Amino acid sequence: MSEGIVVIPTYNEIENIETIVRAVFSLETSFDILVVDDNSPDGTAAKVKELQAEFPDNLFLEVRAGKEGLGTAYVYGFKWAIAGKYEYIFEMDADFSHNPADLERLQASCKNGADMAIGSRYSTGVNVVNWPLSRVLMSYYASVYVKMITGMKIHDATAGFICYTRKVLETINLDKIKFVGYAFQIEMKYRAWSNGFIITEVPIIFTDRTKGQSKMSNAIIKEAIFGVISLRIKKMLNRL
């Protein structure tokens, strides 16, 4: 058993899953992987099962009944990892928008004192590849908006490439996490920040997927806009 586990939610990631699994396992640092698949019709889970024969001690799979959203998939994976007593618990996309090699840098940040290390696209400028300008601006100013509303001094509030120490996820009440997309990422950071945990940002280069389809939608954007306001109100009322 490794001390770190990478939680990778999947829905129709057959084009990426084998490559990302092998990339993580090729790193010098040992990481386990938990794939949380939402019953992908393209056979993603079946491919993971094939790979488990090659990596029986390090690759794990949980298949849920259907598509329930990114946030709930991560919460499911976090609970699984906490039960497994992992010290470092990561969230990472399956599509190579996050470079697996950066897992080692995120873990090193936590080992050096951080409770939560964020793979940040915006802490040293704008480090995004292959996104149209409209999406870069939307993502960048979403973090500016979050900073204004919440007071968090985080440059990339919607980042989805993160290393948590176990104590952060044990402290946050995961059963109260209800958001799905960008708002989920914001809520996790806000709850960690509100509990006084040390949060660092590790600069990364984010590269848009080249295979498969993005899960972005107008509903996810709307959830983030109004979700931030609801989080701030809950904190003001001591209900966070």
Short mmCIF file of all heavy atoms in Angstrom, two decimals, residues 23-57:
data_model
loop_
_atom_site.label_atom_id
_atom_site.label_comp_id
_atom_site.label_asym_id
_atom_site.label_seq_id
_atom_site.Cartn_x
_atom_site.Cartn_y
_atom_site.Cartn_z
N ALA A 23 0.69 6.10 -16.77
CA ALA A 23 1.52 7.27 -16.51
C ALA A 23 1.74 7.47 -15.01
O ALA A 23 2.86 7.77 -14.57
CB ALA A 23 0.88 8.51 -17.12
N VAL A 24 0.70 7.28 -14.23
CA VAL A 24 0.83 7.43 -12.77
C VAL A 24 1.74 6.34 -12.20
O VAL A 24 2.61 6.61 -11.37
CB VAL A 24 -0.55 7.40 -12.08
CG1 VAL A 24 -0.40 7.37 -10.56
CG2 VAL A 24 -1.39 8.60 -12.50
N PHE A 25 1.54 5.12 -12.67
CA PHE A 25 2.34 4.02 -12.13
C PHE A 25 3.79 4.04 -12.61
O PHE A 25 4.63 3.32 -12.07
CB PHE A 25 1.69 2.68 -12.48
CG PHE A 25 0.44 2.39 -11.70
CD1 PHE A 25 -0.58 1.62 -12.24
CD2 PHE A 25 0.27 2.87 -10.41
CE1 PHE A 25 -1.74 1.34 -11.51
CE2 PHE A 25 -0.88 2.61 -9.68
CZ PHE A 25 -1.88 1.83 -10.24
N SER A 26 4.09 4.84 -13.62
CA SER A 26 5.47 4.93 -14.11
C SER A 26 6.30 5.94 -13.32
O SER A 26 7.52 6.02 -13.50
CB SER A 26 5.48 5.34 -15.59
OG SER A 26 5.08 6.70 -15.75
N LEU A 27 5.65 6.70 -12.42
CA LEU A 27 6.37 7.71 -11.64
C LEU A 27 7.32 7.05 -10.64
O LEU A 27 7.11 5.93 -10.20
CB LEU A 27 5.38 8.60 -10.90
CG LEU A 27 4.44 9.44 -11.77
CD1 LEU A 27 3.40 10.14 -10.90
CD2 LEU A 27 5.21 10.46 -12.60
N GLU A 28 8.35 7.79 -10.26
CA GLU A 28 9.31 7.27 -9.28
C GLU A 28 8.64 7.08 -7.92
O GLU A 28 8.92 6.12 -7.21
CB GLU A 28 10.49 8.24 -9.16
CG GLU A 28 11.58 7.76 -8.23
CD GLU A 28 12.78 8.68 -8.23
OE1 GLU A 28 12.95 9.44 -9.21
OE2 GLU A 28 13.56 8.64 -7.26
N THR A 29 7.76 8.00 -7.56
CA THR A 29 7.00 7.88 -6.30
C THR A 29 5.85 6.91 -6.51
O THR A 29 5.17 6.93 -7.54
CB THR A 29 6.44 9.25 -5.87
OG1 THR A 29 7.51 10.17 -5.73
CG2 THR A 29 5.69 9.13 -4.55
N SER A 30 5.61 6.07 -5.52
CA SER A 30 4.53 5.08 -5.62
C SER A 30 3.20 5.70 -5.20
O SER A 30 3.08 6.26 -4.11
CB SER A 30 4.84 3.88 -4.73
OG SER A 30 3.76 2.97 -4.73
N PHE A 31 2.22 5.62 -6.08
CA PHE A 31 0.86 6.04 -5.79
C PHE A 31 -0.10 4.91 -6.11
O PHE A 31 0.09 4.19 -7.10
CB PHE A 31 0.45 7.26 -6.63
CG PHE A 31 1.25 8.49 -6.40
CD1 PHE A 31 2.28 8.85 -7.26
CD2 PHE A 31 0.98 9.31 -5.31
CE1 PHE A 31 3.02 10.01 -7.05
CE2 PHE A 31 1.72 10.47 -5.08
CZ PHE A 31 2.74 10.81 -5.96
N ASP A 32 -1.13 4.76 -5.29
CA ASP A 32 -2.25 3.90 -5.66
C ASP A 32 -3.26 4.74 -6.44
O ASP A 32 -3.22 5.98 -6.40
CB ASP A 32 -2.92 3.30 -4.42
CG ASP A 32 -2.06 2.23 -3.75
OD1 ASP A 32 -1.04 1.83 -4.34
OD2 ASP A 32 -2.41 1.81 -2.63
N ILE A 33 -4.16 4.07 -7.14
CA ILE A 33 -5.19 4.76 -7.92
C ILE A 33 -6.55 4.16 -7.60
O ILE A 33 -6.70 2.93 -7.56
CB ILE A 33 -4.95 4.64 -9.44
CG1 ILE A 33 -3.64 5.32 -9.85
CG2 ILE A 33 -6.13 5.24 -10.23
CD1 ILE A 33 -3.30 5.13 -11.32
N LEU A 34 -7.52 5.01 -7.37
CA LEU A 34 -8.93 4.60 -7.26
C LEU A 34 -9.70 5.25 -8.39
O LEU A 34 -9.78 6.48 -8.45
CB LEU A 34 -9.52 5.01 -5.91
CG LEU A 34 -11.04 4.84 -5.80
CD1 LEU A 34 -11.45 3.36 -5.89
CD2 LEU A 34 -11.58 5.46 -4.51
N VAL A 35 -10.26 4.45 -9.27
CA VAL A 35 -11.12 4.96 -10.33
C VAL A 35 -12.57 4.83 -9.86
O VAL A 35 -13.01 3.75 -9.47
CB VAL A 35 -10.93 4.17 -11.65
CG1 VAL A 35 -11.93 4.65 -12.70
CG2 VAL A 35 -9.50 4.33 -12.15
N VAL A 36 -13.27 5.95 -9.85
CA VAL A 36 -14.70 5.95 -9.51
C VAL A 36 -15.46 6.18 -10.81
O VAL A 36 -15.51 7.30 -11.33
CB VAL A 36 -15.03 7.05 -8.48
CG1 VAL A 36 -16.52 7.00 -8.13
CG2 VAL A 36 -14.18 6.88 -7.22
N ASP A 37 -16.02 5.11 -11.34
CA ASP A 37 -16.67 5.19 -12.65
C ASP A 37 -18.19 5.21 -12.50
O ASP A 37 -18.76 4.42 -11.75
CB ASP A 37 -16.26 4.00 -13.52
CG ASP A 37 -16.83 4.11 -14.92
OD1 ASP A 37 -16.35 4.97 -15.68
OD2 ASP A 37 -17.76 3.35 -15.25
N ASP A 38 -18.82 6.13 -13.22
CA ASP A 38 -20.28 6.26 -13.17
C ASP A 38 -20.97 5.41 -14.24
O ASP A 38 -21.81 5.89 -15.00
CB ASP A 38 -20.67 7.74 -13.30
CG ASP A 38 -20.60 8.48 -11.97
OD1 ASP A 38 -20.23 7.85 -10.96
OD2 ASP A 38 -20.93 9.68 -11.94
N ASN A 39 -20.58 4.13 -14.25
CA ASN A 39 -21.20 3.16 -15.17
C ASN A 39 -21.11 3.64 -16.62
O ASN A 39 -22.11 3.64 -17.35
CB ASN A 39 -22.65 2.92 -14.77
CG ASN A 39 -23.20 1.61 -15.30
OD1 ASN A 39 -22.45 0.72 -15.68
ND2 ASN A 39 -24.51 1.49 -15.34
N SER A 40 -19.90 4.00 -17.03
CA SER A 40 -19.68 4.51 -18.38
C SER A 40 -20.13 3.52 -19.45
O SER A 40 -19.69 2.36 -19.43
CB SER A 40 -18.20 4.82 -18.60
OG SER A 40 -17.72 5.77 -17.69
N PRO A 41 -20.96 3.95 -20.39
CA PRO A 41 -21.41 3.03 -21.45
C PRO A 41 -20.33 2.69 -22.45
O PRO A 41 -20.50 1.75 -23.25
CB PRO A 41 -22.56 3.80 -22.12
CG PRO A 41 -22.33 5.23 -21.79
CD PRO A 41 -21.67 5.25 -20.44
N ASP A 42 -19.19 3.40 -22.43
CA ASP A 42 -18.14 3.14 -23.41
C ASP A 42 -17.16 2.05 -22.97
O ASP A 42 -16.22 1.73 -23.70
CB ASP A 42 -17.38 4.43 -23.73
CG ASP A 42 -16.51 4.92 -22.57
OD1 ASP A 42 -16.67 4.39 -21.44
OD2 ASP A 42 -15.70 5.84 -22.78
N GLY A 43 -17.36 1.46 -21.79
CA GLY A 43 -16.48 0.37 -21.35
C GLY A 43 -15.28 0.80 -20.54
O GLY A 43 -14.32 0.02 -20.38
N THR A 44 -15.30 2.01 -19.98
CA THR A 44 -14.18 2.47 -19.17
C THR A 44 -13.90 1.52 -18.01
O THR A 44 -12.75 1.14 -17.75
CB THR A 44 -14.46 3.89 -18.61
OG1 THR A 44 -14.63 4.80 -19.70
CG2 THR A 44 -13.31 4.36 -17.74
N ALA A 45 -14.94 1.11 -17.29
CA ALA A 45 -14.75 0.23 -16.13
C ALA A 45 -14.18 -1.12 -16.55
O ALA A 45 -13.34 -1.70 -15.84
CB ALA A 45 -16.08 0.05 -15.39
N ALA A 46 -14.62 -1.62 -17.69
CA ALA A 46 -14.11 -2.91 -18.17
C ALA A 46 -12.61 -2.82 -18.44
O ALA A 46 -11.86 -3.77 -18.15
CB ALA A 46 -14.86 -3.33 -19.42
N LYS A 47 -12.17 -1.70 -18.98
CA LYS A 47 -10.75 -1.52 -19.25
C LYS A 47 -9.96 -1.47 -17.93
O LYS A 47 -8.87 -2.03 -17.83
CB LYS A 47 -10.52 -0.24 -20.05
CG LYS A 47 -9.07 0.15 -20.25
CD LYS A 47 -8.24 -0.96 -20.87
CE LYS A 47 -8.63 -1.21 -22.31
NZ LYS A 47 -7.74 -2.22 -22.95
N VAL A 48 -10.52 -0.80 -16.92
CA VAL A 48 -9.85 -0.75 -15.61
C VAL A 48 -9.73 -2.15 -15.02
O VAL A 48 -8.69 -2.51 -14.46
CB VAL A 48 -10.59 0.19 -14.65
CG1 VAL A 48 -9.96 0.15 -13.26
CG2 VAL A 48 -10.59 1.62 -15.18
N LYS A 49 -10.78 -2.95 -15.17
CA LYS A 49 -10.74 -4.33 -14.66
C LYS A 49 -9.64 -5.12 -15.35
O LYS A 49 -8.95 -5.94 -14.72
CB LYS A 49 -12.10 -4.99 -14.86
CG LYS A 49 -13.18 -4.46 -13.94
CD LYS A 49 -14.53 -5.09 -14.23
CE LYS A 49 -15.62 -4.49 -13.33
NZ LYS A 49 -16.96 -5.03 -13.64
N GLU A 50 -9.44 -4.91 -16.63
CA GLU A 50 -8.34 -5.57 -17.34
C GLU A 50 -6.99 -5.17 -16.74
O GLU A 50 -6.11 -6.00 -16.52
CB GLU A 50 -8.36 -5.19 -18.82
CG GLU A 50 -9.48 -5.80 -19.65
CD GLU A 50 -9.40 -5.37 -21.10
OE1 GLU A 50 -8.30 -4.95 -21.53
OE2 GLU A 50 -10.42 -5.43 -21.79
N LEU A 51 -6.85 -3.87 -16.47
CA LEU A 51 -5.59 -3.36 -15.93
C LEU A 51 -5.34 -3.85 -14.50
O LEU A 51 -4.19 -3.96 -14.07
CB LEU A 51 -5.59 -1.83 -15.97
CG LEU A 51 -5.55 -1.21 -17.36
CD1 LEU A 51 -5.87 0.28 -17.28
CD2 LEU A 51 -4.18 -1.41 -17.99
N GLN A 52 -6.40 -4.15 -13.77
CA GLN A 52 -6.24 -4.64 -12.40
C GLN A 52 -5.50 -5.97 -12.37
O GLN A 52 -4.84 -6.29 -11.38
CB GLN A 52 -7.60 -4.77 -11.72
CG GLN A 52 -8.18 -3.44 -11.26
CD GLN A 52 -9.51 -3.61 -10.54
OE1 GLN A 52 -10.46 -4.21 -11.07
NE2 GLN A 52 -9.58 -3.08 -9.33
N ALA A 53 -5.59 -6.74 -13.43
CA ALA A 53 -4.85 -8.01 -13.48
C ALA A 53 -3.35 -7.75 -13.51
O ALA A 53 -2.56 -8.55 -13.01
CB ALA A 53 -5.27 -8.80 -14.72
N GLU A 54 -2.95 -6.60 -14.07
CA GLU A 54 -1.54 -6.23 -14.14
C GLU A 54 -1.08 -5.48 -12.87
O GLU A 54 0.09 -5.58 -12.48
CB GLU A 54 -1.32 -5.34 -15.37
CG GLU A 54 0.12 -5.00 -15.65
CD GLU A 54 0.28 -4.24 -16.96
OE1 GLU A 54 -0.67 -4.22 -17.77
OE2 GLU A 54 1.37 -3.66 -17.15
N PHE A 55 -2.02 -4.74 -12.27
CA PHE A 55 -1.70 -3.94 -11.08
C PHE A 55 -2.66 -4.29 -9.94
O PHE A 55 -3.41 -3.43 -9.46
CB PHE A 55 -1.80 -2.44 -11.40
CG PHE A 55 -0.98 -2.00 -12.58
CD1 PHE A 55 -1.61 -1.71 -13.80
CD2 PHE A 55 0.39 -1.86 -12.50
CE1 PHE A 55 -0.87 -1.28 -14.88
CE2 PHE A 55 1.14 -1.43 -13.58
CZ PHE A 55 0.51 -1.14 -14.78
N PRO A 56 -2.64 -5.53 -9.47
CA PRO A 56 -3.66 -5.98 -8.51
C PRO A 56 -3.59 -5.32 -7.14
O PRO A 56 -4.59 -5.25 -6.43
CB PRO A 56 -3.40 -7.48 -8.39
CG PRO A 56 -1.94 -7.64 -8.74
CD PRO A 56 -1.68 -6.61 -9.80
N ASP A 57 -2.42 -4.81 -6.76
CA ASP A 57 -2.25 -4.26 -5.42
C ASP A 57 -2.35 -2.74 -5.36
O ASP A 57 -2.34 -2.17 -4.27
CB ASP A 57 -0.89 -4.69 -4.84
CG ASP A 57 -0.76 -6.20 -4.73
OD1 ASP A 57 -1.77 -6.85 -4.38
OD2 ASP A 57 0.34 -6.71 -5.01
#
